[in-house]
Amino acid sequence: MFKKLDILILKAFIGPFLAALTISTFVLTMQFFWLYIDDLVGKGLDIVTILELIGLVSVSTMTTAFPLALLFSSIMTFGNLGESFELIAIKAAGIPLIRFMRPLFIFTIGLAGVAFLFANNIIPVTQMKLSNLKYEIIVAKPAIDLKEGVFFDKIDGYVIKLGKKESNDSVMHNIVIFEKKYGLQDNFIMADKGIMRVSPNKKFLEFVMYNGWRYQERGGRGVTNTEFTRLYFKEYKKVFDLKTFGMNKNTEIIYDPKMLSVRQLGHAIDSLQNKDSFYIKKINSDITPYLRFLVYKDSNQLFLAQNKNAPLSNFSQIIPDSLQSSLSESAGYKFSSIQTNMLLLNEIFLQNQVATSVHAIEWHRKFTLSFACIVLFLIGAPLGSIIRKGGLGTPLILAIVFFVFFFLLNNFGEKFAKSGEWTAYFGMWMSSLVLIPIGLFLTYKAMRDSQLFNQEFYYRLLNPIKVTLRKYFKK
């Protein structure tokens, strides 16, 4: 009987779970494209590149989609069982709630393990490929953004205008390039024809122009009497740095801790935390040379020992008046240099602390998102058995509410951990620590057939108060 019951619950659960996983992955994938829509539109991407981008984004969202799908499907499954009175029949047969939750709980633990394998082995590779693909999209066909008759100003320091562009997006006509500089000087290039191409290392954008003129105004800053020159060329190459084409200038393309596994993150954290020798070397090379008195510290001690009866009250006792001014000035310069070097060293230390926090956050994220599957199941399963409503309406609303609550707690904890106000451990595990008691409370209520979401229960509970208030106001 128990085996049939396990099969019944698993069959009722698998369908909603797969549907919820598909919807969750789709929504999270669309969130990425909504964020980068301005950088992707008009790039002339082929269908293979688009499918590859969608696939990489979908895989990278799996660790977030698993907990959301599990929460929604567990609420829906137990809500459907309660609405069709199957849940009541199972309880009437003497089978407790914990027993028929067991097969889904085992499934959830397995899913949490799969989520960890995704986060540790697949997501790092996916993030690396996704970053490379985004960069390739940026530099593959930058000419697409150069529209005919429209000024293009996404390259720092330049404005480009094309009269006509051929279908291959590489051959252009009637080219005008303005150089944006401070001051009165006007420098620009005009050419009848040109070819645009990306350098072999894909770091520079090259304009090879033919039959044109270069206009340049020379003169000092604030001087109105300038020299204006015009230079004709048959062929001229202008090179632009492709760094200004970044999708998001805050995005780290070269390196991201998300590209590392748990083992690699552990090694990186150990390296960042064990940098005492670096700071010692930095102090010896940048600060100690200014503290020359340390060389004579033994002599100073000997001098003080020999002159115990004649303590020194000021420098005038050992330094002649003619040298006090120059020595004070020299000491001031040295202290200023020491202060500058100490500030730089402090900045390096703070950057190292931030890097350590970021790596520790990613290390904990590998586990927290996996453990979230168990936490949200402990909320979804008893919640569904309490509300006893299936379908998409009520389960979807409750799933969104609890997942948004989980998402906000997770984000707040991560922000506080990055700022250094909280440890990475507490910041990343705060959402689980808050939600686990809620899940245990809902499980306790579900095991005792609680009327937590029963409108009739609250009506009967508040009706005496309502009657009393009416009698009071009538008087």
Side-chain angles (χ1 to χ4, degrees), residues 341-370:
N341 290 335
M342 287 296 292
L343 290 174
L344 291 175
L345 191 60
N346 180 64
E347 185 66 24
I348 295 173
F349 176 78
L350 293 178
Q351 292 177 358
N352 182 73
Q353 291 294 104
V354 172
T356 304
S357 298
V358 171
H359 284 78
I361 287 170
E362 293 302 325
W363 189 90
H364 285 284
R365 195 196 306 276
K366 307 288 186 184
F367 298 94
T368 54
L369 288 178
S370 304

Short mmCIF file of all heavy atoms in Angstrom, two decimals, residues 341-370:
data_model
loop_
_atom_site.label_atom_id
_atom_site.label_comp_id
_atom_site.label_asym_id
_atom_site.label_seq_id
_atom_site.Cartn_x
_atom_site.Cartn_y
_atom_site.Cartn_z
N ASN A 341 52.05 56.73 1.45
CA ASN A 341 52.27 55.29 1.27
C ASN A 341 51.36 54.45 2.17
O ASN A 341 50.87 53.38 1.76
CB ASN A 341 53.73 54.94 1.57
CG ASN A 341 54.67 55.48 0.51
OD1 ASN A 341 54.27 55.69 -0.63
ND2 ASN A 341 55.93 55.72 0.87
N MET A 342 51.09 54.94 3.37
CA MET A 342 50.18 54.22 4.26
C MET A 342 48.75 54.22 3.71
O MET A 342 48.04 53.22 3.81
CB MET A 342 50.21 54.86 5.65
CG MET A 342 51.48 54.59 6.43
SD MET A 342 51.73 52.85 6.83
CE MET A 342 50.39 52.59 7.98
N LEU A 343 48.32 55.35 3.14
CA LEU A 343 46.99 55.41 2.53
C LEU A 343 46.88 54.44 1.36
O LEU A 343 45.85 53.77 1.19
CB LEU A 343 46.68 56.84 2.08
CG LEU A 343 46.45 57.86 3.21
CD1 LEU A 343 46.29 59.26 2.62
CD2 LEU A 343 45.22 57.49 4.02
N LEU A 344 47.93 54.37 0.53
CA LEU A 344 47.92 53.43 -0.59
C LEU A 344 47.87 51.98 -0.08
O LEU A 344 47.15 51.14 -0.64
CB LEU A 344 49.15 53.65 -1.47
CG LEU A 344 49.19 54.96 -2.26
CD1 LEU A 344 50.52 55.11 -2.98
CD2 LEU A 344 48.05 55.02 -3.27
N LEU A 345 48.64 51.71 0.95
CA LEU A 345 48.66 50.36 1.52
C LEU A 345 47.30 50.02 2.13
O LEU A 345 46.82 48.88 2.02
CB LEU A 345 49.76 50.26 2.57
CG LEU A 345 50.10 48.85 3.08
CD1 LEU A 345 50.57 47.97 1.93
CD2 LEU A 345 51.15 48.92 4.17
N ASN A 346 46.67 51.01 2.76
CA ASN A 346 45.34 50.79 3.32
C ASN A 346 44.32 50.52 2.21
O ASN A 346 43.43 49.68 2.37
CB ASN A 346 44.92 52.01 4.13
CG ASN A 346 43.55 51.85 4.75
OD1 ASN A 346 43.34 51.00 5.59
ND2 ASN A 346 42.60 52.66 4.32
N GLU A 347 44.44 51.22 1.08
CA GLU A 347 43.54 50.98 -0.05
C GLU A 347 43.72 49.57 -0.60
O GLU A 347 42.73 48.89 -0.93
CB GLU A 347 43.83 52.01 -1.15
CG GLU A 347 42.89 51.94 -2.34
CD GLU A 347 41.47 52.33 -1.99
OE1 GLU A 347 41.28 53.06 -0.99
OE2 GLU A 347 40.55 51.88 -2.71
N ILE A 348 44.96 49.11 -0.69
CA ILE A 348 45.22 47.74 -1.14
C ILE A 348 44.60 46.74 -0.16
O ILE A 348 43.99 45.74 -0.56
CB ILE A 348 46.73 47.49 -1.28
CG1 ILE A 348 47.31 48.37 -2.40
CG2 ILE A 348 47.02 46.02 -1.56
CD1 ILE A 348 48.82 48.30 -2.49
N PHE A 349 44.73 47.04 1.12
CA PHE A 349 44.16 46.14 2.14
C PHE A 349 42.63 46.09 2.03
O PHE A 349 42.03 45.00 2.10
CB PHE A 349 44.57 46.62 3.53
CG PHE A 349 43.95 45.84 4.65
CD1 PHE A 349 44.44 44.59 4.99
CD2 PHE A 349 42.86 46.34 5.35
CE1 PHE A 349 43.87 43.86 6.02
CE2 PHE A 349 42.28 45.61 6.38
CZ PHE A 349 42.79 44.37 6.71
N LEU A 350 41.99 47.24 1.83
CA LEU A 350 40.53 47.26 1.71
C LEU A 350 40.07 46.52 0.46
O LEU A 350 39.07 45.79 0.48
CB LEU A 350 40.03 48.71 1.66
CG LEU A 350 40.20 49.52 2.96
CD1 LEU A 350 39.73 50.95 2.76
CD2 LEU A 350 39.45 48.87 4.12
N GLN A 351 40.78 46.70 -0.66
CA GLN A 351 40.44 45.96 -1.88
C GLN A 351 40.60 44.46 -1.67
O GLN A 351 39.79 43.66 -2.18
CB GLN A 351 41.32 46.44 -3.03
CG GLN A 351 41.03 47.86 -3.48
CD GLN A 351 41.97 48.32 -4.58
OE1 GLN A 351 42.89 47.59 -4.98
NE2 GLN A 351 41.77 49.53 -5.07
N ASN A 352 41.62 44.07 -0.93
CA ASN A 352 41.83 42.66 -0.64
C ASN A 352 40.69 42.11 0.23
O ASN A 352 40.22 40.98 0.02
CB ASN A 352 43.16 42.47 0.08
CG ASN A 352 43.47 41.02 0.37
OD1 ASN A 352 43.80 40.25 -0.52
ND2 ASN A 352 43.35 40.64 1.64
N GLN A 353 40.19 42.94 1.17
CA GLN A 353 39.08 42.52 2.01
C GLN A 353 37.81 42.34 1.18
O GLN A 353 37.05 41.38 1.38
CB GLN A 353 38.83 43.55 3.11
CG GLN A 353 39.93 43.62 4.16
CD GLN A 353 40.02 42.34 4.97
OE1 GLN A 353 40.93 41.53 4.77
NE2 GLN A 353 39.10 42.15 5.88
N VAL A 354 37.58 43.26 0.25
CA VAL A 354 36.40 43.15 -0.62
C VAL A 354 36.50 41.90 -1.49
O VAL A 354 35.52 41.16 -1.65
CB VAL A 354 36.26 44.41 -1.50
CG1 VAL A 354 35.17 44.23 -2.54
CG2 VAL A 354 35.95 45.62 -0.63
N ALA A 355 37.68 41.66 -2.06
CA ALA A 355 37.86 40.46 -2.89
C ALA A 355 37.65 39.19 -2.08
O ALA A 355 37.03 38.23 -2.56
CB ALA A 355 39.26 40.46 -3.51
N THR A 356 38.12 39.18 -0.84
CA THR A 356 37.91 38.02 0.03
C THR A 356 36.43 37.80 0.30
O THR A 356 35.93 36.67 0.26
CB THR A 356 38.66 38.21 1.36
OG1 THR A 356 40.05 38.44 1.08
CG2 THR A 356 38.52 36.98 2.24
N SER A 357 35.71 38.90 0.57
CA SER A 357 34.27 38.79 0.83
C SER A 357 33.52 38.27 -0.39
O SER A 357 32.63 37.42 -0.28
CB SER A 357 33.71 40.15 1.25
OG SER A 357 34.31 40.61 2.44
N VAL A 358 33.87 38.77 -1.58
CA VAL A 358 33.19 38.35 -2.81
C VAL A 358 33.41 36.86 -3.06
O VAL A 358 32.47 36.12 -3.40
CB VAL A 358 33.68 39.19 -4.00
CG1 VAL A 358 33.15 38.62 -5.31
CG2 VAL A 358 33.23 40.64 -3.85
N HIS A 359 34.64 36.40 -2.87
CA HIS A 359 34.92 34.97 -3.07
C HIS A 359 34.21 34.11 -2.02
O HIS A 359 33.70 33.03 -2.34
CB HIS A 359 36.43 34.72 -3.03
CG HIS A 359 37.15 35.14 -4.27
ND1 HIS A 359 37.45 36.45 -4.54
CD2 HIS A 359 37.61 34.42 -5.33
CE1 HIS A 359 38.09 36.54 -5.69
NE2 HIS A 359 38.20 35.32 -6.19
N ALA A 360 34.18 34.60 -0.77
CA ALA A 360 33.49 33.85 0.28
C ALA A 360 31.98 33.79 0.01
O ALA A 360 31.33 32.77 0.26
CB ALA A 360 33.76 34.49 1.64
N ILE A 361 31.42 34.88 -0.52
CA ILE A 361 30.00 34.89 -0.86
C ILE A 361 29.70 33.85 -1.93
O ILE A 361 28.71 33.10 -1.84
CB ILE A 361 29.58 36.30 -1.31
CG1 ILE A 361 29.52 37.25 -0.11
CG2 ILE A 361 28.23 36.28 -2.03
CD1 ILE A 361 29.36 38.71 -0.49
N GLU A 362 30.53 33.79 -2.96
CA GLU A 362 30.31 32.80 -4.01
C GLU A 362 30.50 31.38 -3.49
O GLU A 362 29.81 30.46 -3.94
CB GLU A 362 31.26 33.06 -5.19
CG GLU A 362 30.99 34.35 -5.93
CD GLU A 362 29.57 34.40 -6.48
OE1 GLU A 362 29.05 33.33 -6.88
OE2 GLU A 362 28.99 35.48 -6.51
N TRP A 363 31.42 31.20 -2.54
CA TRP A 363 31.62 29.87 -1.95
C TRP A 363 30.36 29.42 -1.22
O TRP A 363 29.90 28.29 -1.38
CB TRP A 363 32.81 29.91 -1.00
CG TRP A 363 33.24 28.56 -0.50
CD1 TRP A 363 34.16 27.73 -1.06
CD2 TRP A 363 32.75 27.87 0.67
NE1 TRP A 363 34.29 26.57 -0.33
CE2 TRP A 363 33.43 26.64 0.75
CE3 TRP A 363 31.83 28.18 1.65
CZ2 TRP A 363 33.21 25.72 1.77
CZ3 TRP A 363 31.59 27.27 2.67
CH2 TRP A 363 32.28 26.06 2.72
N HIS A 364 29.78 30.30 -0.42
CA HIS A 364 28.56 29.96 0.32
C HIS A 364 27.36 29.83 -0.61
O HIS A 364 26.45 29.04 -0.33
CB HIS A 364 28.28 31.01 1.38
CG HIS A 364 29.18 30.92 2.58
ND1 HIS A 364 29.04 29.97 3.55
CD2 HIS A 364 30.25 31.67 2.93
CE1 HIS A 364 29.97 30.13 4.48
NE2 HIS A 364 30.72 31.15 4.13
N ARG A 365 27.34 30.59 -1.72
CA ARG A 365 26.20 30.53 -2.63
C ARG A 365 26.04 29.14 -3.22
O ARG A 365 24.93 28.70 -3.53
CB ARG A 365 26.37 31.56 -3.75
CG ARG A 365 25.07 31.82 -4.53
CD ARG A 365 25.39 32.54 -5.84
NE ARG A 365 26.15 33.73 -5.62
CZ ARG A 365 25.61 34.91 -5.30
NH1 ARG A 365 24.31 35.02 -5.15
NH2 ARG A 365 26.38 35.97 -5.13
N LYS A 366 27.15 28.44 -3.44
CA LYS A 366 27.06 27.08 -3.98
C LYS A 366 26.20 26.17 -3.10
O LYS A 366 25.51 25.28 -3.59
CB LYS A 366 28.47 26.47 -4.08
CG LYS A 366 29.49 27.30 -4.84
CD LYS A 366 29.26 27.34 -6.31
CE LYS A 366 30.40 28.06 -7.02
NZ LYS A 366 30.16 28.20 -8.47
N PHE A 367 26.24 26.43 -1.78
CA PHE A 367 25.51 25.59 -0.84
C PHE A 367 24.13 26.16 -0.50
O PHE A 367 23.18 25.40 -0.31
CB PHE A 367 26.33 25.43 0.45
CG PHE A 367 27.65 24.75 0.25
CD1 PHE A 367 28.81 25.48 0.04
CD2 PHE A 367 27.76 23.37 0.26
CE1 PHE A 367 30.03 24.88 -0.15
CE2 PHE A 367 28.97 22.73 0.07
CZ PHE A 367 30.11 23.49 -0.14
N THR A 368 24.03 27.49 -0.40
CA THR A 368 22.76 28.07 0.04
C THR A 368 21.64 27.85 -0.97
O THR A 368 20.51 27.55 -0.59
CB THR A 368 22.93 29.57 0.30
OG1 THR A 368 23.48 30.22 -0.87
CG2 THR A 368 23.83 29.82 1.49
N LEU A 369 21.95 27.99 -2.28
CA LEU A 369 20.91 27.78 -3.28
C LEU A 369 20.49 26.32 -3.34
O LEU A 369 19.33 26.01 -3.65
CB LEU A 369 21.40 28.26 -4.65
CG LEU A 369 21.51 29.77 -4.83
CD1 LEU A 369 22.05 30.11 -6.21
CD2 LEU A 369 20.17 30.46 -4.60
N SER A 370 21.42 25.41 -3.06
CA SER A 370 21.05 23.98 -3.01
C SER A 370 20.21 23.69 -1.78
O SER A 370 19.20 22.98 -1.86
CB SER A 370 22.32 23.12 -3.00
OG SER A 370 23.14 23.41 -4.11
#
